[in-house]
């Protein structure tokens, strides 16, 4: 039987008869005639490829280098890094390779365009093996980082291809929203945070401070990285630590800080919604003339204490590595 669909409820035959879809025997299948064409398919593919070329800085990958000035974001030569001073995996920022300072920007004011950048440096097989035990490694979905390369079907159940794609954004809690792209397509998938994904590749710019130190000094045998929230439970008074402090905030010195934990003070506070929470203040005794340094593209500059200022209070709230306040003890 042939006819023309009239809305979503019925089919009109050549004789003018209307038949409800529910009354049709759809078991043999329904063939749509002239629903598309090779020309339309080619046009859709070309439009998708053209759209994939345009990006905003929110989709820049850590380690990319700006090849041109981008108003409201950064200047040519700046390196893209993830600023992890808030919740989630962090937002892309432009960092000066000379000073390590983050440029003040407004991502929402930058229009999508074919911005010119230099592709980020990828980890070698040897480097991935040093850090993760193998050239390809598995991580929970919520541990994916922008720049990671994975198979599209592992992060998007609706993906029509198994070809590798690059993660551009990771957001969410229990259910993680993942945006991805390659040279031919862009897409978005959802996965439970505990789902495991195989990472095929990772950018050097996405590494945290602990991983950078591991590559720089593999012979040092650094202990595993631990979040401050977990450190609280270990009664760490007296332990010597290396803190990787976020940069880009006026109230918090960024960079690597070494010192000895003197103790942990608790402060009970109330939020505007009437909920109570506890802020733990780590009391860190640091060296008088500085506490180590970081080097390389986008790493924050070393933090240095002045004479007579040996102790810092570092407040954290709920998130690991979420450092909320600093007070100097005179």
């Amino acid at each position: 039987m042939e006819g023309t669909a009239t809305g979503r409820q019925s089919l009109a035959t050549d004789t003018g008869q209307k038949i409800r879809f529910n009354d049709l025997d759809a078991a043999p299948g329904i063939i749509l005639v002239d629903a598309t064409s090779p020309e339309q398919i080619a046009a859709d593919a070309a439009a998708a490829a053209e759209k994939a070329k345009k990006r905003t800085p929110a989709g820049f990958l850590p380690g990319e280098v700006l090849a041109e000035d981008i108003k409201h974001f950064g200047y040519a030569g700046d390196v893209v890094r993830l600023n992890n001073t808030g919740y989630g995996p962090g937002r892309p920022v432009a960092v000066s390779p000379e000073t390590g300072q983050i440029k003040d920007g407004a991502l929402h004011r930058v229009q999508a365009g074919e911005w010119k950048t230099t592709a980020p440096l990828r980890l070698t097989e040897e480097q991935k093996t040093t850090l993760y035990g193998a050239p390809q490694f598995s991580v929970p979905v919520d541990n994916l980082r922008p720049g990671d390369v994975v198979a599209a079907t592992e992060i998007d159940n609706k993906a029509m291809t198994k070809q590798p794609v690059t993660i551009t954004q990771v957001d969410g809690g229990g259910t993680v929203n993942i945006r991805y792209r390659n040279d031919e397509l862009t897409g978005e998938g959802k996965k439970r945070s505990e789902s495991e994904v195989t990472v095929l590749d990772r950018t050097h710019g996405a590494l945290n401070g602990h991983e950078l130190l591991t590559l720089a000094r593999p012979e040092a045998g650094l202990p595993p990285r631990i979040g401050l929230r977990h450190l609280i439970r270990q009664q760490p008074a007296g332990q010597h630590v290396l803190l990787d402090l976020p940069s880009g905030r006026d109230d918090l010195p960024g960079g690597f800080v070494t010192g000895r934990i003197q103790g942990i003070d608790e402060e009970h506070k109330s939020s505007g919604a009437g909920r109570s929470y506890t802020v733990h203040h780590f009391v860190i005794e640091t060296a008088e003339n500085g506490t180590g340094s970081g080097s390389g593209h986008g790493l924050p500059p070393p933090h240095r204490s002045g004479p007579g200022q040996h102790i810092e209070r570092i407040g954290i709230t709920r998130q690991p590595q979420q450092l909320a306040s600093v007070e100097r003890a005179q």
Side-chain angles (χ1 to χ4, degrees), residues 17-325:
Q17 180 184 7
K18 284 190 176 182
I19 302 174
R20 293 175 56 86
F21 286 132
N22 291 340
D23 296 332
L24 292 173
D25 179 11
I30 297 176
I31 299 176
L32 298 179
V33 180
D34 295 331
T36 186
S37 65
E39 292 77 15
Q40 184 62 46
I41 293 174
D44 292 343
E50 192 65 25
K51 180 181 178 182
K53 295 179 182 178
K54 295 185 177 181
R55 300 184 296 161
T56 67
F60 287 174
L61 305 180
E64 284 191 76
V65 180
L66 304 188
E68 60 181 321
D69 294 349
I70 301 179
K71 189 176 181 180
H72 305 304
F73 184 68
Y75 303 108
D78 286 350
V79 183
V80 178
R81 299 283 290 181
L82 293 180
N83 188 19
N84 295 301
T85 58
Y87 294 99
R91 64 182 181 86
V93 293
V95 177
S96 168
E98 288 82 18
T99 66
Q101 295 299 308
I102 295 175
K103 300 294 173 61
D104 292 330
L107 290 179
H108 64 281
R109 300 183 65 180
V110 183
Q111 298 294 321
E114 295 184 34
W115 301 112
K116 297 177 181 178
T117 64
T118 301
L121 182 67
R122 296 281 176 181
L123 296 177
T124 65
E125 303 285 284
E126 181 181 358
Q127 288 173 329
K128 286 183 285 186
T129 300
T130 298
L131 292 173
Y132 311 114
Q136 298 181 8
F137 51 95
S138 296
V139 299
V141 166
D142 57 359
N143 284 347
L144 286 172
R145 306 175 190 180
D148 284 355
V149 176
V150 301
T153 49
E154 287 212 43
I155 55 172
D156 186 359
N157 293 334
K158 298 180 180 179
M160 303 299 292
T161 176
K162 293 184 178 181
Q163 62 182 291
V165 294
T166 300
I167 305 295
T168 56
Q169 286 182 269
V170 183
D171 300 299
T175 299
V176 180
N177 299 316
I178 310 160
R179 293 185 180 180
Y180 61 88
R181 64 174 172 82
N182 61 17
D183 293 337
E184 300 176 3
L185 57 88
T186 59
E188 184 173 353
K190 293 185 178 181
K191 283 285 186 178
R192 295 294 300 173
S193 60
E194 64 271 15
S195 302
E196 291 283 326
V197 177
T198 298
V199 177
L200 308 177
D201 211 349
R202 175 165 285 176
T203 70
H204 191 278
L207 299 183
N208 57 47
H210 186 277
E211 291 167 333
L212 290 171
L213 285 175
T214 299
L215 291 180
R217 298 185 61 187
E219 72 284 355
L222 294 176
R225 184 172 182 258
I226 185 173
L228 295 181
R229 181 173 58 181
H230 301 289
L231 185 61
I232 292 171
R233 305 169 186 162
Q234 298 185 4
Q235 298 181 347
Q239 290 189 22
H240 291 269
V241 294
L242 172 64
L243 298 178
D244 184 7
L245 303 183
S247 58
R249 290 175 50 171
D250 295 333
D251 62 340
L252 189 67
F256 293 110
V257 175
T258 59
R260 184 177 64 86
I261 299 177
Q262 288 196 335
I264 301 175
D265 296 339
E266 291 188 358
E267 182 180 0
H268 301 283
K269 293 187 175 184
S270 297
S271 66
R275 297 179 179 177
S276 61
Y277 61 97
T278 301
V279 177
H280 296 85
H281 296 273
F282 280 74
V283 182
I284 309 293
E285 181 179 6
T286 63
E288 179 175 351
N289 293 320
T291 56
S293 63
S295 61
H297 287 317
L299 282 178
H303 165 62
R304 301 196 178 276
S305 305
Q309 296 178 333
H310 300 169
I311 299 175
E312 295 181 353
R313 289 182 174 274
I314 302 173
I316 66 171
T317 53
R318 295 166 53 192
Q319 288 283 93
Q321 304 300 323
Q322 175 68 21
L323 302 159
S325 63

